[in-house]
Amino acid sequence: MAKIGINIATGSLQKEEMIVGIDLGTTNSLVAIIHPENRQPVALKEHNSSSLVPSIVHFDKTGNITVGEEAKQYLVTEPHNTIFSAKRLMGKSYNDIKDNASFFTFKVIDDNTESLVKVQVGDKFYSPIDLSSFILKELKQRAEHILKTPVTKAVITVPAYFNDAQRQATRDAGKLAGLDVLRIINEPTAASLAYGLGLGKEEIKTIAVYDLGGGTFDISILQITNGIFEVLSTNGDTYLGGDDFDRLIVHYWMKQSGISETEISANKELSQALRLKAEEAKKYLSSNENFEAKVENISLKLSKQEFESLAAPLIERTIQSCRNAIADAKVDVQQIDSVVMVGGSTRVPAVKKAVSDFFGSPVNDTVNPDEVVALGAAVQADILAGNNKEFLLLDITPLSLGIETMGGLMDVLIPRNSKIPTKAGRQYTTHKDGQSSMRITVFQGERDLVQDNRKLAELNLSGIPGMPAGLPKVEVSFLINADGILVVKAKELRSGVEQSVEVKPQYGLSDMEVEKMLLDSLTHAKDDIAKRALVEARTEGEQLLQTTEKFIGKNASLLTQHELIQTAEAMQALQLALTMEDKDLIHKKVEELNDISRPYAERAMDQAVSSAMKGRAI
Ligand code: AMP
């Protein structure tokens, strides 16, 4: 039963506000709720229409904005002011997308290649956040129209590989659309939740969620234990989906009909018309053998077999991702109890076959693959509303997170594949006397030297009271909240000064870059270990030089002339060793200096102890 409340100010009856689940897709978006009566998730739709709203935004000459089916009508006739696949641009710079720039028929600004992309329509510029907010606003209005109640709270899904910046961008789009985004969750996680509804029993299951949508591909390996969902690993490709199948078909037809690249780039209308026909052909071939049509008197033909051989390399790429995900999850294919299919492109029979061949079992596709993510988001929304306390969600971080320490080394606080939400903390200290500030630089990646990783943020902890080196205790803590957003805090424990930063990196990493970073860490592993050892040896050497110098400055009177000379020589030898790339030599010189200083350091210590004893009142 829906709860009813009374608005004290107006005296009117109010239905308790519903939290909706939103799948903000590359191709289509939709809203779902848990039906208040039967408690089942349902996708919202107007009578006689689809629940799917094409993620397309059209701008007319007077600045009017339309979204969805209506906007889709303009893809062919007004390609410059009809924006599709905006999600592919979320949190990206022009550099990130330049290899795929020809895919967009509208103007993606390319003058500042490092900053976040914008789309130009007429004389106006729109960010992907703006564009997504238009889609979300439309979804909100539709939901309000259907539910006859205001909708202000939502759970929105994103691909598993979205990084912090992209998640934040999605959250911002929601805010712009007038939505309070309670949670951002991974699409595969949402999908598994939609299927997980039936899994209340005490059982342990490992499942794979294969999500091939219009523009993105995700594979997740999940473990469900007594109603708790845990994501063991994720893998995927944000540049692989049904749109790519369409593109392959278009190229195939261009070749067949002798249409050149120059011709197609000069004729955007033809390019769009071919794209739409290609999608139609692909869908048709999911249940038929041959497709035939005409566009601008060009005859277009495609058989199922031809389509399957075009698509085979793309499908194989998804299977390779499945292999990687299985390896990361440290499970065997045989341990996967069921495989869940998500996304419209999983309707392609060749996809289903490849996936079921790989996992060695029939795939599970009982829930509508276009709706399953939104339905799962609605389940999560229901959990947040406090209606379903049996489930707990755990996600993982795709790359390690840490800070830069002495010598440019990466000190990992949260290792890759850690479950989130998560928290980690470690204490650091100053290395100079009277140091009043400390710069904390946050990096993401698997390499030992920060210069090879990706800088995410920087914070400067200032106001540390003057203390000798090594005395301040600076606690650096990392907190990744359930949305995957990282908050870094630094606090000097003796004085209480603190500083924090929420990580919103300037632009995002594509999954390909994540993959590259992981691969690089493997290829450079040996190299990195050697570099780390050298940096550590140098840091140790430098610190020893500093402390020795300081010690001599204070206690020169305790040392014999011979000791002073010996020490100076050993310090000089160590200094020289530090300029060379030889960690063993540095270690040797460190040892030698230690051997020389040990006797007088002990003498100094004894004296300090005895004078301390003398001063003690009994
Ligand atoms: P999604 O992002 O999940 O909405 O997926 C949409 C993608 O699924 C688009 O690329 C569609 O062309 C594709 N799709 C939808 N229905 C079918 C079908 N029957 N056969 C093949 N692909 C389909």
Side-chain angles (χ1 to χ4, degrees):
M1 271 292 285
K3 289 184 199 143
I4 307 280
I6 298 173
N7 183 326
I8 299 173
T10 62
S12 64
L13 290 181
Q14 288 184 325
K15 263 194 279 179
E16 174 131 323
E17 203 189 335
M18 215 162 247
I19 307 173
V20 298
I22 297 181
D23 173 5
L24 182 61
T26 309
T27 320
N28 294 304
S29 298
L30 70 154
V31 184
I33 58 156
I34 297 295
H35 196 284
E37 261 105 52
N38 68 13
R39 310 281 317 137
Q40 293 300 308
V42 281
L44 295 180
K45 60 175 155 196
E46 309 263 12
H47 291 299
N48 299 327
S49 71
S50 161
S51 58
L52 301 182
V53 177
S55 307
I56 300 176
V57 183
H58 172 256
F59 299 86
D60 77 7
K61 302 232 162 18
T62 60
N64 275 336
I65 298 171
T66 47
V67 172
E69 278 307 337
E70 207 184 318
K72 197 173 178 177
Q73 313 291 320
Y74 294 100
L75 269 183
V76 176
T77 52
E78 296 183 25
H80 298 291
N81 17 323
T82 310
I83 318 299
F84 63 92
S85 281
K87 187 175 173 181
R88 285 177 182 272
L89 303 175
M90 276 299 234
K92 302 273 171 154
S93 72
Y94 187 79
N95 263 347
D96 292 328
I97 58 118
K98 65 175 187 292
D99 294 343
N100 297 277
S102 63
F103 177 73
F104 301 101
T105 52
F106 41 87
K107 175 124 186 69
V108 182
I109 303 297
D110 60 356
D111 41 9
N112 190 348
T113 53
E114 287 297 339
S115 57
L116 292 173
V117 287
K118 287 216 170 210
V119 167
Q120 184 173 6
V121 182
D123 56 0
K124 291 220 169 76
F125 298 90
Y126 298 96
S127 69
I129 297 178
D130 297 328
L131 297 164
S132 302
S133 80
F134 298 145
I135 298 167
L136 288 170
K137 215 178 272 176
E138 172 73 20
L139 295 174
K140 174 174 153 47
Q141 277 165 7
R142 284 188 191 210
E144 288 175 338
H145 189 246
I146 296 166
L147 295 170
K148 309 264 180 296
T149 170
V151 170
T152 60
K153 293 193 172 105
V155 167
I156 304 182
T157 60
V158 295
Y161 266 84
F162 258 29
N163 62 18
D164 298 343
Q166 293 166 306
R167 282 165 205 266
Q168 190 61 45
T170 306
R171 196 173 259 284
D172 291 346
K175 210 188 265 174
L176 272 182
L179 288 168
D180 181 7
V181 183
L182 299 183
R183 183 78 55 100
I184 299 284
I185 64 168
N186 287 338
E187 288 159 9
T189 305
S192 74
L193 265 186
Y195 275 93
L197 268 180
L199 294 163
K201 297 175 221 103
E202 285 192 10
E203 56 184 17
I204 297 176
K205 263 195 165 182
T206 311
I207 60 168
V209 182
Y210 178 101
D211 180 349
L212 189 59
T216 57
F217 168 63
D218 287 300
I219 172 77
S220 302
I221 310 297
L222 310 163
Q223 186 155 54
I224 305 173
T225 317
N226 306 337
I228 295 175
F229 288 72
E230 186 182 345
V231 182
L232 298 181
S233 73
T234 64
N235 207 294
D237 191 334
T238 44
Y239 270 94
L240 181 57
D243 294 351
D244 298 295
F245 290 178
D246 304 348
R247 254 197 291 185
L248 285 176
I249 299 174
V250 170
H251 281 128
Y252 176 78
W253 282 339
M254 280 166 61
K255 221 154 128 198
Q256 297 281 307
S257 329
I259 305 169
S260 69
E261 285 289 346
T262 9
E263 242 173 291
I264 207 91
S265 33
N267 188 347
K268 296 283 187 203
E269 280 83 6
L270 176 63
S271 147
Q272 284 290 10
L274 285 179
R275 229 173 62 84
L276 289 178
K277 272 289 167 224
E279 185 181 11
E280 194 183 318
K282 173 188 69 178
K283 289 184 179 174
Y284 185 78
L285 292 174
S286 285
S287 43
N288 298 277
E289 292 302 316
N290 288 292
F291 177 86
E292 272 184 48
K294 261 196 162 113
V295 161
E296 292 186 13
N297 278 331
I298 307 163
S299 143
L300 307 170
K301 284 188 186 164
L302 189 69
S303 72
K304 187 174 185 165
Q305 214 175 13
E306 283 160 342
F307 171 62
E308 285 180 358
S309 44
L310 286 178
L314 292 189
I315 298 174
E316 179 45 38
R317 266 168 61 194
T318 69
I319 298 299
Q320 186 51 45
S321 279
C322 294
R323 260 183 219 115
N324 296 344
I326 290 278
D328 270 353
K330 300 194 175 57
V331 294
D332 288 330
V333 175
Q334 294 82 353
Q335 284 168 265
I336 304 292
D337 298 304
S338 58
V339 184
V340 170
M341 299 299 259
V342 182
S345 302
T346 60
R347 291 201 177 90
V348 173
V351 169
K352 278 191 208 190
K353 185 174 180 308
V355 178
S356 84
D357 284 354
F358 174 75
F359 286 101
S361 63
V363 295
N364 197 330
D365 52 4
T366 51
V367 178
N368 180 338
D370 288 317
E371 293 183 347
V372 63
V373 168
L375 298 177
V379 172
Q380 172 69 69
D382 198 48
I383 296 170
L384 290 177
N387 298 332
N388 195 339
K389 294 201 174 69
E390 291 145 55
F391 296 97
L392 181 69
L393 276 188
L394 297 170
D395 279 339
I396 57 154
T397 56
L399 290 168
S400 302
L401 294 159
I403 67 167
E404 175 176 2
T405 54
M406 292 277 288
L409 287 180
M410 171 88 172
D411 196 24
V412 171
L413 273 94
I414 297 181
R416 156 182 150 70
N417 275 348
S418 295
K419 288 158 197 150
I420 60 172
T422 186
K423 227 182 132 168
R426 198 163 293 163
Q427 278 186 14
Y428 299 88
T429 188
T430 50
H431 64 275
K432 282 205 189 98
D433 287 342
Q435 192 177 328
S436 65
S437 70
M438 198 163 164
R439 201 177 58 202
I440 287 134
T441 321
V442 183
F443 285 86
Q444 180 179 40
E446 307 312 309
R447 303 284 299 276
D448 278 358
L449 295 184
V450 291
Q451 69 188 44
D452 300 316
N453 289 331
R454 179 168 177 262
K455 183 169 154 184
L456 288 184
E458 199 173 271
L459 78 155
N460 202 37
L461 182 66
S462 53
I464 303 175
M467 280 183 253
L471 210 56
K473 282 187 181 168
V474 176
E475 167 96 21
V476 174
S477 64
F478 277 29
L479 173 78
I480 307 185
N481 66 18
D483 297 340
I485 298 203
L486 171 68
V487 177
V488 180
K489 271 202 185 117
K491 182 175 183 179
E492 202 287 303
L493 299 178
R494 293 179 195 274
S495 59
V497 291
E498 69 180 321
Q499 193 65 253
S500 74
V501 65
E502 192 169 296
V503 177
K504 287 183 215 164
Q506 232 218 328
Y507 60 88
L509 281 180
S510 72
D511 66 301
M512 245 126 70
E513 285 163 302
V514 171
E515 226 169 74
K516 186 175 174 303
M517 287 170 85
L518 294 178
L519 272 177
D520 278 355
S521 74
L522 292 177
T523 25
H524 296 283
K526 231 169 118 183
D527 224 28
D528 276 6
I529 291 171
K531 273 194 206 148
R532 178 181 274 274
L534 181 63
V535 171
E536 279 171 353
R538 277 194 183 142
T539 307
E540 191 191 346
E542 274 159 13
Q543 275 171 344
L544 182 63
L545 281 178
Q546 268 184 32
T547 44
T548 314
E549 212 169 86
K550 213 166 111 185
F551 182 87
I552 306 257
K554 273 194 192 158
N555 305 289
S557 60
L558 287 177
L559 273 71
T560 65
Q561 193 63 19
H562 179 61
E563 280 170 337
L564 274 174
I565 293 170
Q566 260 194 323
T567 306
E569 277 171 4
M571 282 174 76
Q572 211 169 31
L574 175 56
Q575 195 102 51
L576 188 68
L578 287 180
T579 63
M580 288 181 250
E581 308 271 307
D582 185 346
K583 73 162 181 9
D584 294 332
L585 182 70
I586 299 173
H587 279 310
K588 194 163 158 257
K589 297 294 161 197
V590 162
E591 276 313 303
E592 283 173 12
L593 179 55
N594 269 330
D595 287 346
I596 292 166
S597 60
R598 197 168 297 118
Y600 57 76
E602 279 167 8
R603 268 194 333 257
M605 185 85 96
D606 288 348
Q607 237 191 30
V609 171
S610 70
S611 58
M613 295 287 283
K614 269 186 221 144
R616 236 164 79 183
I618 300 172

